Amino acid sequence: MDSQRLLCATDGSPPSEKAVAYTVSLAAELRRPITFLLVADGELETVPAVWDEARVKAEDLPPDKELLAALKSALQHKLLSVRLVRAYGNDPAEAIVSYAERNGYRHIIVGSEGRTGAKRMLLGSVAEDVVTRAHCPVTVVR
């Protein structure tokens, strides 16, 4: 059960980098462990790839530059309780919320570009979809 652990979704975009920075700051302040989650294309039922604290400490790291950048940020702030996860799904919001629900997370953090009007309608918003579908509080960082 990961009820105290913060779940931060990242895809390497500038908004998700802001979400990573916010999560690292919040985790340091609250002394909470972090999970950084990247969604890759694939079937939602595919078992996620997980790099727990032991694998990270042993330098058995994922190839994903997005997860490595998030880990670097956490380590720069002396946060050692960090888990990295590559989940799978064709709908990023569904994959994020599904992983959070299955693993007992109670706080999800996502980034958003803050689009409005026609751009938002055409491109959609993963952050909005996460907020709508989530079983727990979601912090949207802009």
Side-chain angles (χ1 to χ4, degrees):
M1 185 69 101
D2 287 307
S3 62
Q4 296 300 311
R5 186 176 286 274
L6 302 173
L7 179 63
C8 177
T10 183
D11 64 6
S13 67
S16 76
E17 289 175 2
K18 288 180 183 179
V20 166
Y22 176 83
T23 302
V24 166
S25 175
L26 185 63
E29 180 182 332
L30 299 177
R31 294 192 169 104
R32 294 272 179 91
I34 304 172
T35 296
F36 292 112
L37 175 75
L38 172 69
V39 178
D41 286 335
E43 294 301 316
L44 187 62
E45 293 78 27
T46 304
V47 175
V50 178
W51 291 264
D52 61 10
E53 287 88 347
R55 286 183 75 182
V56 169
K57 187 175 182 180
E59 296 185 15
D60 176 12
L61 301 174
D64 309 286
K65 66 181 188 305
E66 302 88 350
L67 291 175
L68 293 174
L71 175 62
K72 181 179 177 183
S73 178
L75 293 177
Q76 286 173 338
H77 287 83
K78 311 267 190 277
L79 298 176
L80 302 177
S81 187
V82 178
R83 184 178 299 161
L84 308 172
V85 176
R86 184 189 318 115
Y88 298 90
N90 297 316
D91 177 343
E94 181 181 17
I96 293 164
V97 171
S98 177
Y99 184 84
E101 286 177 351
R102 284 194 318 268
N103 292 283
Y105 286 85
R106 296 288 171 241
H107 189 175
I108 301 170
I109 302 166
V110 294
S112 174
E113 288 188 18
R115 291 188 190 107
T116 59
K119 279 188 180 178
R120 200 203 134 314
M121 286 177 61
L122 290 172
L123 299 174
S125 169
V126 171
E128 181 180 5
D129 288 347
V130 170
V131 169
T132 302
R133 299 175 184 180
H135 65 289
C136 63
V138 177
T139 300
V140 178
V141 180
R142 291 176 44 175

